[in-house]
Amino acid sequence: MPALYALYIINKSGGLIYNKEFLPMAGLNLNDTLRLASIWHSLHAIASQLSPVPGCSGIELLIADAFDLHCFQTLTGTKFLLVVEPGTPEVEDFLKSTVYDLYTDYVLKNPFYEVEMPVRCELFDVNLFQTIGTVHKRWGIFGSQP
């Protein structure tokens, strides 16, 4: 069954600036989440340099037994990581169009937000959870956390 578990946003320096879980996962604490962000940033950078494919921008998808981790890197170097159930459809489009649009509308256009700093925008949280809730209801999942 498709499901969206968590969203992480990493700035261009590798710092975790946003993390939210939508459905209960393995229970990562804050230190584990920060470690995940910095390790992903490093692996992403190494992969983009070592790739034999010209123009490769880094790792876009990590497939594991229990989850898939999708990554979208913006032109400014900000990375959006979405942890989903394996086989969840249209994740790339959802991440690039929906989540990134919410980020630009409610975070980057916020006059009080400083780029590269932790995201503390209530409107972003509210609209993100509303969107995730709508997607989960469409798939028959009713456990999204506000």
Side-chain angles (χ1 to χ4, degrees):
M1 174 182 292
L4 307 171
Y5 291 123
L7 173 68
Y8 305 107
I9 302 176
I10 304 171
N11 66 18
K12 66 181 175 187
S13 303
L16 183 69
I17 60 173
Y18 186 82
N19 68 314
K20 289 291 184 214
E21 284 189 8
F22 309 116
L23 294 173
M25 291 189 344
L28 296 176
N29 62 30
L30 183 59
N31 285 336
D32 292 337
T33 307
L34 291 169
R35 204 173 298 119
L36 169 71
S38 65
I39 289 172
W40 183 267
H41 176 75
S42 301
L43 288 175
H44 195 273
I46 292 168
S48 66
Q49 293 176 0
L50 294 179
S51 174
V53 178
C56 178
S57 64
I59 304 170
E60 294 179 358
L61 174 61
L62 174 74
I63 299 174
D65 292 337
F67 65 90
D68 290 350
L69 194 148
H70 293 261
C71 178
F72 168 60
Q73 181 174 342
T74 66
L75 294 175
T76 60
T78 303
K79 294 172 196 67
F80 291 79
L81 305 178
L82 191 60
V83 181
V84 301
E85 181 75 21
T88 301
E90 301 172 2
V91 176
E92 293 84 11
D93 292 337
F94 179 75
L95 193 54
K96 290 177 183 176
S97 62
T98 308
V99 175
Y100 184 63
D101 285 350
L102 290 172
Y103 176 77
T104 56
D105 286 345
Y106 296 108
V107 177
L108 295 181
K109 292 179 184 176
N110 182 343
F112 301 107
Y113 176 71
E114 293 182 37
V115 178
E116 303 297 316
M117 296 305 290
V119 175
R120 305 266 188 262
C121 300
E122 185 178 345
L123 283 175
F124 177 65
D125 283 339
V126 168
N127 285 284
L128 179 65
F129 276 99
Q130 184 179 24
T131 302
I132 298 294
T134 302
V135 170
H136 280 171
K137 284 179 187 172
R138 190 172 356 139
W139 291 336
I141 302 169
F142 300 103
S144 296
Q145 302 173 354

